[in-house]
Amino acid sequence: MKRHKKVVMLALVTFIVLAMVGCGSNNTGSGNAAGEKIMFASDASYAPMEYMDTDTIKGFDIDFIKAVMEEAGMDYEVKNTGWDTMLSSVKQGTEYQAGLSSVSITDERKETYDYSIPYFESTNMIMVKEGSPIKSALDLKDKIVAVQGATTADDLMSGIMGVDNADLRRFDSNAVALMELNAGGADAVVADIAIVREYIKNNPDQKFTGIVDKENFGSEYYGILYPKGSELKAKLDPAIKKVIENGKYAEIYKTWFGEDPNTNNLLNAN
């Protein structure tokens, strides 16, 4: 009889504990379910913005989003998915709720995605072998040019060379486009300035040089990519603004690029 009472009491305690756990799982806190982790998709082939170091993603964007998510008080994870997978998965918004991969804010993409406020000012840059006669974007019209497909570099060079021009070679990543130039399969690469400068710095023996063409390649701004109608924008925009204003952004920027950013341009680009 005493044993039977113990069993009943154990069952009763178990029921109460389970009920309490069930109630706890519905606690939404800051608008997310308790314990929810925000998943960011990325194409980690954009050193120094995001790149793989063995099995760890590193880069400016990674340090930046860490500061933003700490400011917002939200749990998160960044996974390397590749560019095309990032775009398609963020559009669906199921497995990944955001994209973080030096994604330029464009009117065309705004038709499909929502963006955070701008967090990085960039421009495209031309990379050629030292001694090349190429001096500007217009000099690329009759050349073989390598770009990463579905990027602003692709858009810019499609406008200059023609979208169906066979000499405009589109690759899955900037890394492969850069390899094509190094192998002699292209006369130039067009890519984001941070990527080109990093490659030239890390490969001095390959004798590459970078060309800035402000007349044909204007400033671009990166933003975090969201599915249309995402609630994350309203949650993270204030955190991004705070990180830019409180000096943390400049600290991260200087670590990666050795100079101070023009934060006024960022804040005025909204």
Side-chain angles (χ1 to χ4, degrees), residues 23-256:
C23 290
S25 67
N26 292 324
N27 180 11
T28 58
S30 61
N32 298 315
E36 182 183 359
K37 180 184 289 186
I38 305 302
M39 298 300 297
F40 289 83
S42 183
D43 177 11
S45 61
Y46 277 65
M49 301 302 290
E50 46 265 320
Y51 63 95
M52 297 302 299
D53 182 3
T54 312
D55 57 352
T56 303
I57 307 179
K58 294 183 178 179
F60 171 86
D61 277 353
I62 306 307
D63 289 352
F64 163 75
I65 201 62
K66 179 182 178 182
V68 169
M69 298 305 277
E70 285 178 353
E71 181 66 36
M74 300 173 73
D75 191 19
Y76 75 101
E77 185 176 351
V78 182
K79 284 195 173 184
N80 181 26
T81 64
W83 182 258
D84 291 338
T85 300
M86 178 194 70
L87 293 176
S88 60
S89 62
V90 171
K91 181 180 178 181
Q92 295 168 3
T94 50
E95 184 177 2
Y96 295 97
Q97 294 80 53
L100 181 75
S101 193
S102 309
V103 186
S104 296
I105 300 171
T106 68
D107 290 337
E108 182 180 0
R109 286 179 183 152
K110 283 181 178 179
E111 295 176 4
T112 307
Y113 305 93
D114 284 344
Y115 277 99
S116 70
I117 58 174
Y119 73 84
F120 193 89
E121 183 179 8
S122 181
T123 186
N124 275 281
M125 193 178 203
I126 304 163
M127 191 173 87
V128 296
K129 283 282 189 180
E130 289 181 1
S132 169
I134 295 167
K135 303 300 178 187
S136 73
L138 298 183
D139 292 337
L140 298 173
K141 282 185 177 180
D142 300 319
K143 304 297 183 181
I144 299 175
V145 180
V147 298
Q148 179 172 351
T151 62
T152 54
D154 185 0
D155 293 340
L156 288 166
M157 293 316 303
S158 292
I160 290 171
M161 299 176 65
V163 67
D164 297 321
N165 192 324
D167 287 336
L168 179 55
R169 310 283 174 82
R170 299 173 175 90
F171 296 92
D172 291 337
S173 72
N174 279 316
V176 181
L178 292 165
M179 289 169 59
E180 184 75 2
L181 174 61
N182 190 44
D187 299 305
V189 164
V190 177
D192 291 344
I193 189 169
I195 285 83
V196 172
R197 283 179 171 171
E198 183 76 0
Y199 189 88
I200 292 171
K201 182 183 75 174
N202 293 336
N203 299 276
D205 57 312
Q206 294 180 9
K207 305 299 182 183
F208 287 119
T209 187
I211 301 166
V212 175
D213 185 348
K214 292 184 178 180
E215 185 174 342
N216 293 290
F217 296 162
S219 287
E220 300 176 1
Y221 293 91
Y222 299 160
I224 299 172
L225 200 66
Y226 306 122
K228 272 293 186 184
S230 171
E231 296 179 356
L232 273 180
K233 177 175 173 59
K235 295 174 181 178
L236 295 190
D237 275 2
I240 294 171
K241 190 170 185 290
K242 186 69 177 292
V243 167
I244 293 172
E245 290 177 336
N246 67 13
K248 183 64 177 177
Y249 180 90
E251 178 185 323
I252 296 168
Y253 192 99
K254 196 162 188 176
T255 297
W256 285 99

